mmCIF file of all heavy atoms in Angstrom:
data_model
loop_
_atom_site.group_PDB
_atom_site.id
_atom_site.type_symbol
_atom_site.label_atom_id
_atom_site.label_comp_id
_atom_site.label_asym_id
_atom_site.label_seq_id
_atom_site.Cartn_x
_atom_site.Cartn_y
_atom_site.Cartn_z
ATOM 1 N N ASP A 1 91.422 117.999 27.252
ATOM 2 C CA ASP A 1 91.398 116.747 26.497
ATOM 3 C C ASP A 1 91.830 115.573 27.379
ATOM 4 O O ASP A 1 91.273 114.459 27.310
ATOM 5 C CB ASP A 1 92.345 116.833 25.288
ATOM 6 C CG ASP A 1 92.401 115.551 24.488
ATOM 7 O OD1 ASP A 1 91.382 115.197 23.850
ATOM 8 O OD2 ASP A 1 93.456 114.900 24.505
ATOM 9 N N THR A 2 92.803 115.818 28.276
ATOM 10 C CA THR A 2 93.304 114.764 29.122
ATOM 11 C C THR A 2 92.304 114.309 30.177
ATOM 12 O O THR A 2 92.147 113.101 30.443
ATOM 13 C CB THR A 2 94.604 115.244 29.821
ATOM 14 O OG1 THR A 2 95.579 115.590 28.838
ATOM 15 C CG2 THR A 2 95.156 114.164 30.725
ATOM 16 N N PHE A 3 91.614 115.273 30.775
ATOM 17 C CA PHE A 3 90.728 114.926 31.908
ATOM 18 C C PHE A 3 89.260 115.026 31.569
ATOM 19 O O PHE A 3 88.422 114.971 32.495
ATOM 20 C CB PHE A 3 91.075 115.855 33.088
ATOM 21 C CG PHE A 3 92.464 115.751 33.597
ATOM 22 C CD1 PHE A 3 93.289 116.856 33.639
ATOM 23 C CD2 PHE A 3 93.011 114.506 33.959
ATOM 24 C CE1 PHE A 3 94.585 116.772 34.093
ATOM 25 C CE2 PHE A 3 94.301 114.419 34.399
ATOM 26 C CZ PHE A 3 95.116 115.536 34.460
ATOM 27 N N GLY A 4 88.917 115.101 30.308
ATOM 28 C CA GLY A 4 87.525 115.298 29.945
ATOM 29 C C GLY A 4 86.666 114.084 30.047
ATOM 30 O O GLY A 4 85.456 114.168 29.896
ATOM 31 N N ALA A 5 87.259 112.922 30.320
ATOM 32 C CA ALA A 5 86.486 111.671 30.304
ATOM 33 C C ALA A 5 85.683 111.482 31.571
ATOM 34 O O ALA A 5 84.706 110.696 31.590
ATOM 35 C CB ALA A 5 87.414 110.471 30.112
ATOM 36 N N TRP A 6 86.079 112.106 32.681
ATOM 37 C CA TRP A 6 85.339 111.909 33.935
ATOM 38 C C TRP A 6 84.043 112.672 33.930
ATOM 39 O O TRP A 6 84.004 113.881 33.634
ATOM 40 C CB TRP A 6 86.176 112.314 35.117
ATOM 41 C CG TRP A 6 87.203 111.316 35.512
ATOM 42 C CD1 TRP A 6 86.968 110.172 36.231
ATOM 43 C CD2 TRP A 6 88.604 111.320 35.202
ATOM 44 N NE1 TRP A 6 88.141 109.472 36.351
ATOM 45 C CE2 TRP A 6 89.168 110.157 35.778
ATOM 46 C CE3 TRP A 6 89.412 112.194 34.505
ATOM 47 C CZ2 TRP A 6 90.482 109.843 35.630
ATOM 48 C CZ3 TRP A 6 90.770 111.894 34.366
ATOM 49 C CH2 TRP A 6 91.286 110.705 34.949
ATOM 50 N N ALA A 7 82.959 111.972 34.242
ATOM 51 C CA ALA A 7 81.632 112.615 34.250
ATOM 52 C C ALA A 7 81.381 113.448 35.490
ATOM 53 O O ALA A 7 80.560 114.337 35.489
ATOM 54 C CB ALA A 7 80.559 111.545 34.111
ATOM 55 N N GLY A 8 82.073 113.107 36.554
ATOM 56 C CA GLY A 8 81.849 113.861 37.801
ATOM 57 C C GLY A 8 81.914 113.000 39.025
ATOM 58 O O GLY A 8 82.407 111.855 38.956
ATOM 59 N N ARG A 9 81.388 113.479 40.134
ATOM 60 C CA ARG A 9 81.432 112.730 41.379
ATOM 61 C C ARG A 9 80.068 112.121 41.673
ATOM 62 O O ARG A 9 79.041 112.512 41.074
ATOM 63 C CB ARG A 9 81.827 113.642 42.518
ATOM 64 C CG ARG A 9 80.861 114.813 42.734
ATOM 65 C CD ARG A 9 81.408 115.780 43.779
ATOM 66 N NE ARG A 9 80.497 116.876 44.039
ATOM 67 C CZ ARG A 9 80.378 117.975 43.311
ATOM 68 N NH1 ARG A 9 81.120 118.089 42.217
ATOM 69 N NH2 ARG A 9 79.528 118.885 43.620
ATOM 70 N N ARG A 10 80.042 111.194 42.598
ATOM 71 C CA ARG A 10 78.767 110.617 42.971
ATOM 72 C C ARG A 10 77.902 111.643 43.705
ATOM 73 O O ARG A 10 78.444 112.503 44.416
ATOM 74 C CB ARG A 10 78.971 109.414 43.904
ATOM 75 C CG ARG A 10 79.567 108.200 43.165
ATOM 76 C CD ARG A 10 79.864 107.097 44.153
ATOM 77 N NE ARG A 10 80.476 105.976 43.441
ATOM 78 C CZ ARG A 10 79.988 104.782 43.364
ATOM 79 N NH1 ARG A 10 78.799 104.487 43.921
ATOM 80 N NH2 ARG A 10 80.590 103.812 42.707
ATOM 81 N N GLU A 11 76.610 111.558 43.534
ATOM 82 C CA GLU A 11 75.733 112.527 44.161
ATOM 83 C C GLU A 11 75.878 112.473 45.686
ATOM 84 O O GLU A 11 75.922 111.426 46.303
ATOM 85 C CB GLU A 11 74.264 112.189 43.802
ATOM 86 C CG GLU A 11 73.276 113.192 44.338
ATOM 87 C CD GLU A 11 71.870 112.883 43.894
ATOM 88 O OE1 GLU A 11 71.691 111.963 43.065
ATOM 89 O OE2 GLU A 11 70.957 113.592 44.342
ATOM 90 N N GLY A 12 76.035 113.657 46.291
ATOM 91 C CA GLY A 12 76.183 113.741 47.724
ATOM 92 C C GLY A 12 77.612 113.724 48.209
ATOM 93 O O GLY A 12 77.861 114.015 49.375
ATOM 94 N N GLU A 13 78.580 113.405 47.353
ATOM 95 C CA GLU A 13 79.971 113.418 47.778
ATOM 96 C C GLU A 13 80.563 114.795 47.514
ATOM 97 O O GLU A 13 80.208 115.477 46.545
ATOM 98 C CB GLU A 13 80.778 112.339 47.047
ATOM 99 C CG GLU A 13 80.362 110.956 47.459
ATOM 100 C CD GLU A 13 81.296 109.896 46.892
ATOM 101 O OE1 GLU A 13 82.214 110.257 46.146
ATOM 102 O OE2 GLU A 13 81.100 108.704 47.176
ATOM 103 N N PRO A 14 81.513 115.236 48.361
ATOM 104 C CA PRO A 14 82.084 116.582 48.211
ATOM 105 C C PRO A 14 82.904 116.693 46.933
ATOM 106 O O PRO A 14 83.448 115.726 46.430
ATOM 107 C CB PRO A 14 82.965 116.728 49.442
ATOM 108 C CG PRO A 14 83.285 115.339 49.878
ATOM 109 C CD PRO A 14 82.079 114.509 49.502
ATOM 110 N N ALA A 15 83.016 117.928 46.428
ATOM 111 C CA ALA A 15 83.795 118.165 45.230
ATOM 112 C C ALA A 15 85.280 118.139 45.501
ATOM 113 O O ALA A 15 86.073 117.865 44.594
ATOM 114 C CB ALA A 15 83.423 119.524 44.623
ATOM 115 N N SER A 16 85.697 118.421 46.703
ATOM 116 C CA SER A 16 87.115 118.397 47.041
ATOM 117 C C SER A 16 87.266 118.096 48.521
ATOM 118 O O SER A 16 86.269 118.177 49.263
ATOM 119 C CB SER A 16 87.769 119.727 46.686
ATOM 120 O OG SER A 16 87.213 120.776 47.477
ATOM 121 N N PRO A 17 88.458 117.762 48.982
ATOM 122 C CA PRO A 17 88.648 117.386 50.387
ATOM 123 C C PRO A 17 88.262 118.452 51.376
ATOM 124 O O PRO A 17 88.088 118.164 52.540
ATOM 125 C CB PRO A 17 90.137 117.047 50.459
ATOM 126 C CG PRO A 17 90.497 116.660 49.056
ATOM 127 C CD PRO A 17 89.677 117.577 48.177
ATOM 128 N N SER A 18 88.195 119.715 51.003
ATOM 129 C CA SER A 18 87.752 120.793 51.867
ATOM 130 C C SER A 18 87.275 121.926 51.008
ATOM 131 O O SER A 18 87.237 121.865 49.795
ATOM 132 C CB SER A 18 88.907 121.250 52.787
ATOM 133 O OG SER A 18 89.807 122.094 52.081
ATOM 134 N N ALA A 19 86.924 123.032 51.659
ATOM 135 C CA ALA A 19 86.406 124.179 50.933
ATOM 136 C C ALA A 19 87.508 124.848 50.096
ATOM 137 O O ALA A 19 87.237 125.602 49.172
ATOM 138 C CB ALA A 19 85.800 125.198 51.881
ATOM 139 N N THR A 20 88.775 124.588 50.444
ATOM 140 C CA THR A 20 89.887 125.191 49.707
ATOM 141 C C THR A 20 90.196 124.352 48.493
ATOM 142 O O THR A 20 90.522 123.160 48.628
ATOM 143 C CB THR A 20 91.154 125.289 50.605
ATOM 144 O OG1 THR A 20 90.832 125.997 51.790
ATOM 145 C CG2 THR A 20 92.258 125.983 49.860
ATOM 146 N N PRO A 21 90.092 124.897 47.286
ATOM 147 C CA PRO A 21 90.295 124.055 46.099
ATOM 148 C C PRO A 21 91.758 123.649 45.925
ATOM 149 O O PRO A 21 92.659 124.280 46.481
ATOM 150 C CB PRO A 21 89.830 124.965 44.940
ATOM 151 C CG PRO A 21 90.082 126.364 45.484
ATOM 152 C CD PRO A 21 89.826 126.267 46.967
ATOM 153 N N LEU A 22 91.953 122.614 45.112
ATOM 154 C CA LEU A 22 93.294 122.244 44.696
ATOM 155 C C LEU A 22 93.622 122.987 43.408
ATOM 156 O O LEU A 22 92.793 123.240 42.589
ATOM 157 C CB LEU A 22 93.357 120.722 44.442
ATOM 158 C CG LEU A 22 92.958 119.810 45.629
ATOM 159 C CD1 LEU A 22 93.100 118.349 45.222
ATOM 160 C CD2 LEU A 22 93.724 120.115 46.864
ATOM 161 N N HIS A 23 94.916 123.364 43.278
ATOM 162 C CA HIS A 23 95.344 124.136 42.142
ATOM 163 C C HIS A 23 96.458 123.434 41.393
ATOM 164 O O HIS A 23 97.361 122.837 42.024
ATOM 165 C CB HIS A 23 95.835 125.520 42.532
ATOM 166 C CG HIS A 23 94.751 126.509 42.815
ATOM 167 N ND1 HIS A 23 94.126 126.627 44.041
ATOM 168 C CD2 HIS A 23 94.196 127.453 42.018
ATOM 169 C CE1 HIS A 23 93.207 127.575 43.965
ATOM 170 N NE2 HIS A 23 93.207 128.097 42.760
ATOM 171 N N VAL A 24 96.419 123.505 40.070
ATOM 172 C CA VAL A 24 97.561 123.115 39.208
ATOM 173 C C VAL A 24 97.872 124.314 38.343
ATOM 174 O O VAL A 24 96.977 124.810 37.605
ATOM 175 C CB VAL A 24 97.188 121.876 38.342
ATOM 176 C CG1 VAL A 24 98.280 121.608 37.343
ATOM 177 C CG2 VAL A 24 96.951 120.666 39.225
ATOM 178 N N ARG A 25 99.097 124.786 38.444
ATOM 179 C CA ARG A 25 99.533 125.946 37.631
ATOM 180 C C ARG A 25 100.701 125.527 36.745
ATOM 181 O O ARG A 25 101.659 124.952 37.243
ATOM 182 C CB ARG A 25 99.904 127.108 38.542
ATOM 183 C CG ARG A 25 98.747 127.630 39.414
ATOM 184 C CD ARG A 25 99.161 128.826 40.257
ATOM 185 N NE ARG A 25 98.011 129.429 40.920
ATOM 186 C CZ ARG A 25 97.616 129.106 42.156
ATOM 187 N NH1 ARG A 25 98.269 128.196 42.848
ATOM 188 N NH2 ARG A 25 96.586 129.693 42.669
ATOM 189 N N ILE A 26 100.574 125.819 35.451
ATOM 190 C CA ILE A 26 101.610 125.451 34.473
ATOM 191 C C ILE A 26 102.003 126.680 33.688
ATOM 192 O O ILE A 26 101.150 127.304 33.037
ATOM 193 C CB ILE A 26 101.097 124.357 33.530
ATOM 194 C CG1 ILE A 26 100.716 123.088 34.343
ATOM 195 C CG2 ILE A 26 102.176 123.981 32.505
ATOM 196 C CD1 ILE A 26 100.083 121.986 33.500
ATOM 197 N N VAL A 27 103.253 127.046 33.809
ATOM 198 C CA VAL A 27 103.797 128.252 33.134
ATOM 199 C C VAL A 27 104.738 127.806 32.019
ATOM 200 O O VAL A 27 105.749 127.108 32.287
ATOM 201 C CB VAL A 27 104.530 129.143 34.130
ATOM 202 C CG1 VAL A 27 105.065 130.416 33.419
ATOM 203 C CG2 VAL A 27 103.653 129.537 35.285
ATOM 204 N N VAL A 28 104.430 128.171 30.809
ATOM 205 C CA VAL A 28 105.265 127.847 29.648
ATOM 206 C C VAL A 28 106.218 129.020 29.419
ATOM 207 O O VAL A 28 105.790 130.203 29.474
ATOM 208 C CB VAL A 28 104.439 127.561 28.391
ATOM 209 C CG1 VAL A 28 105.332 127.255 27.203
ATOM 210 C CG2 VAL A 28 103.474 126.428 28.627
ATOM 211 N N HIS A 29 107.483 128.742 29.138
ATOM 212 C CA HIS A 29 108.444 129.852 28.915
ATOM 213 C C HIS A 29 109.406 129.456 27.830
ATOM 214 O O HIS A 29 109.505 128.261 27.436
ATOM 215 C CB HIS A 29 109.192 130.118 30.222
ATOM 216 C CG HIS A 29 109.975 128.987 30.737
ATOM 217 N ND1 HIS A 29 111.312 128.736 30.362
ATOM 218 C CD2 HIS A 29 109.661 127.968 31.611
ATOM 219 C CE1 HIS A 29 111.752 127.649 30.976
ATOM 220 N NE2 HIS A 29 110.782 127.180 31.725
ATOM 221 N N ASP A 30 110.171 130.452 27.372
ATOM 222 C CA ASP A 30 111.239 130.163 26.395
ATOM 223 C C ASP A 30 112.260 129.245 27.028
ATOM 224 O O ASP A 30 112.563 129.344 28.226
ATOM 225 C CB ASP A 30 111.915 131.454 25.960
ATOM 226 C CG ASP A 30 111.041 132.263 25.033
ATOM 227 O OD1 ASP A 30 110.234 131.677 24.306
ATOM 228 O OD2 ASP A 30 111.147 133.527 25.042
ATOM 229 N N GLY A 31 112.823 128.414 26.211
ATOM 230 C CA GLY A 31 113.877 127.524 26.760
ATOM 231 C C GLY A 31 114.080 126.336 25.902
ATOM 232 O O GLY A 31 113.284 126.019 25.024
ATOM 233 N N ASN A 32 115.175 125.676 26.172
ATOM 234 C CA ASN A 32 115.550 124.498 25.394
ATOM 235 C C ASN A 32 115.828 123.395 26.371
ATOM 236 O O ASN A 32 116.390 123.575 27.462
ATOM 237 C CB ASN A 32 116.786 124.795 24.558
ATOM 238 C CG ASN A 32 117.022 123.757 23.497
ATOM 239 O OD1 ASN A 32 117.007 122.582 23.756
ATOM 240 N ND2 ASN A 32 117.256 124.218 22.246
ATOM 241 N N GLU A 33 115.399 122.184 26.004
ATOM 242 C CA GLU A 33 115.641 121.039 26.868
ATOM 243 C C GLU A 33 117.037 120.481 26.700
ATOM 244 O O GLU A 33 117.476 119.625 27.514
ATOM 245 C CB GLU A 33 114.589 119.925 26.547
ATOM 246 C CG GLU A 33 113.192 120.284 27.000
ATOM 247 C CD GLU A 33 113.051 120.391 28.507
ATOM 248 O OE1 GLU A 33 113.565 119.532 29.253
ATOM 249 O OE2 GLU A 33 112.416 121.397 28.938
ATOM 250 N N HIS A 34 117.763 120.929 25.694
ATOM 251 C CA HIS A 34 119.167 120.543 25.492
ATOM 252 C C HIS A 34 119.367 119.052 25.442
ATOM 253 O O HIS A 34 120.355 118.525 25.953
ATOM 254 C CB HIS A 34 120.059 121.154 26.624
ATOM 255 C CG HIS A 34 119.898 122.614 26.769
ATOM 256 N ND1 HIS A 34 120.409 123.528 25.879
ATOM 257 C CD2 HIS A 34 119.269 123.333 27.743
ATOM 258 C CE1 HIS A 34 120.104 124.750 26.277
ATOM 259 N NE2 HIS A 34 119.411 124.672 27.409
ATOM 260 N N THR A 35 118.381 118.364 24.894
ATOM 261 C CA THR A 35 118.479 116.906 24.832
ATOM 262 C C THR A 35 117.596 116.390 23.720
ATOM 263 O O THR A 35 116.778 117.113 23.152
ATOM 264 C CB THR A 35 118.044 116.276 26.166
ATOM 265 O OG1 THR A 35 118.262 114.864 26.109
ATOM 266 C CG2 THR A 35 116.591 116.544 26.438
#
């Protein structure tokens, strides 16, 4: 939902800065923010 607005990249431009992709990993766990 957050990043769905982008249609993509310009034709002919690379998808990422190199062949190695960028990763975002988010782990949800039990816990309290205590605030």
Side-chain angles (χ1 to χ4, degrees):
D1 178 69
T2 300
F3 299 125
W6 280 282
R9 61 188 182 277
R10 289 176 183 242
E11 184 177 354
E13 292 189 357
S16 64
S18 79
T20 305
L22 303 182
H23 281 86
V24 172
R25 297 182 173 93
I26 301 175
V27 181
V28 180
H29 62 89
D30 286 330
N32 195 310
E33 291 294 315
H34 308 287
T35 185

